[in-house]
Amino acid sequence: AVSSPLTGSVDPGSTLTSLRKRIGQVPARMLFENFFQKDKGKEESGKFQRHSKLDGISGAFGPVGVVCCGFGEDELEILAQTVEVVTRETAWEQPHVPIAVLGKEDFFSKTKLKDVLGKVAERDSVLPDQPADVSVPLVLFSGFPPRQVSAAVTAVRASGIRGGEAGSQVQPLFAIAVPKAMDKTVVQLVEELEGDAMANDPATPPSE
């Protein structure tokens, strides 16, 4: 067993093997339909952009890391292990991907995305005293090359983790850091993503 900074001692053997099997069962394709507009030809300025249209598509944007909210400790552990599998299975030369978990303080203080990513290494695996209240959980990738973004989204979906409000656990929304989003507050980003999800899927629970 190894020690996890999120939940303590875990045995990753069976979990990682299971994740590899489940990842192999899911087509390797982009799965960002949850937060893109229904009208694919009219993407608004400042909104999250299609991955194929990002500037510098041959590389990656932002510091390497994952920003998330809306998950319990068990789900966070699975998320961390899943990202670890992706870095190994895709031969990405990234020894460790830090994960920053958003809390209520980030929402109340109107923390910007650039502030979170600027300290993503410091916030790695640190659980907030008060988790952020969101209707739909969020996983945002930063600094991932295109191939790894695709593999990571596919893998996290395959892991089956859910989150959100108690009693209405749902699949997470996925996003990638883009230049126009860096000066937005995390509250604004979450609201935009939830709004896009509602537009694409009326069954998605509304934001409080």
Side-chain angles (χ1 to χ4, degrees), residues 8-186:
S9 180
V10 296
D11 180 4
S14 59
T15 302
L16 296 181
T17 299
S18 175
L19 282 172
R20 290 191 181 97
K21 290 181 179 178
R22 297 175 73 175
I23 290 170
Q25 295 169 358
V26 180
R29 56 189 175 87
M30 297 308 297
L31 295 170
F32 295 118
E33 69 277 6
N34 269 1
F35 61 86
F36 286 118
Q37 306 268 341
K38 279 186 174 181
D39 186 353
K40 306 296 191 297
K42 297 181 180 180
E43 292 166 2
E44 300 178 22
S45 175
K47 291 281 188 179
F48 286 89
Q49 305 171 33
R50 285 196 170 279
H51 196 252
S52 59
K53 295 182 179 179
L54 293 180
D55 294 332
I57 189 64
S58 60
F61 174 78
V64 174
V66 174
V67 178
C68 64
C69 61
F71 295 109
E73 292 187 20
D74 290 342
E75 288 74 25
L76 287 171
E77 182 60 49
I78 294 174
L79 174 62
Q81 292 177 346
T82 302
V83 172
E84 178 187 340
V85 169
V86 169
T87 59
R88 290 179 179 178
E89 297 296 316
T90 60
W92 183 20
E93 295 182 2
Q94 184 64 38
H96 177 68
V97 177
I99 297 178
V101 184
L102 298 177
K104 285 185 177 180
E105 179 62 27
D106 293 306
F107 282 40
F108 293 153
S109 62
K110 296 184 178 180
T111 302
K112 293 182 178 181
L113 178 60
K114 67 180 180 182
D115 298 327
V116 178
L117 290 176
K119 296 183 177 180
V120 68
E122 297 175 32
R123 298 182 56 159
D124 183 26
S125 301
V126 177
L127 295 174
D129 293 332
Q130 293 183 304
D133 292 326
V134 294
S135 299
V136 183
L138 168 68
V139 179
L140 181 144
F141 300 100
S142 173
F144 278 51
R147 179 166 174 254
Q148 279 66 37
V149 173
S150 180
V153 173
T154 301
V156 174
R157 283 197 175 230
S159 74
I161 61 172
R162 292 173 176 265
E165 296 177 335
S168 60
Q169 300 285 287
V170 296
Q171 290 186 338
L173 299 176
F174 297 95
I176 47 180
V178 295
K180 291 181 179 180
M182 298 299 280
D183 283 323
K184 293 185 178 183
T185 65
V186 292

